[in-house]
Amino acid sequence: MKNIIIYLCVINTIAFILYGADKGKAKRHKWRIPEATLLGVAFVGGSIGAFLGMQIFRHKTKKVKFYIGIPMILVMQIIGIIVIQTHFSLFSYL
């Protein structure tokens, strides 16, 4: 469990930094971080960092796949955690 928490902290920090870095690059008209990377890091557990990065840096907030996709990924991850927790707690009583 400890390793999962460490992983989630790291991946969410990375997601947040990526969204901030991409916003900075966009302002300077520099090479950008691919959208697939930004969405991918959210998908592998960085959805909270991605969502916070979107809000704080005001980045990708007008693109449908981000303003709908990131919250959907976050909700799916929360549901997944609840299902896994419930599943394992049921088996602990058997």
Side-chain angles (χ1 to χ4, degrees):
M1 184 67 166
K2 181 181 175 186
N3 290 339
I4 293 170
I5 292 170
I6 292 169
Y7 171 77
L8 290 174
C9 288
V10 170
I11 197 69
N12 279 287
T13 301
I14 290 169
F16 184 79
I17 291 168
L18 284 175
Y19 276 74
D22 193 51
K23 177 66 176 199
K25 289 173 182 274
K27 284 182 173 182
R28 294 186 314 273
H29 304 287
K30 299 286 183 182
W31 168 86
R32 303 284 302 279
I33 297 168
E35 288 185 350
T37 301
L38 295 173
L39 289 168
V41 74
F43 187 76
V44 297
S47 57
I48 294 171
F51 183 77
L52 290 174
M54 285 175 61
Q55 301 307 309
I56 290 171
F57 301 116
R58 297 268 186 233
H59 192 50
K60 301 288 188 188
T61 56
K62 294 182 181 177
K63 289 203 164 213
V64 175
K65 62 181 158 184
F66 284 90
Y67 78 78
I68 301 264
I70 297 300
M72 282 181 58
I73 292 170
L74 177 57
V75 168
M76 289 188 315
Q77 289 173 345
I78 290 169
I79 290 170
I81 289 168
I82 291 169
V83 167
I84 289 169
Q85 286 292 90
T86 304
H87 180 73
F88 281 114
S89 66
L90 286 175
F91 280 113
S92 68
Y93 291 114
L94 298 178

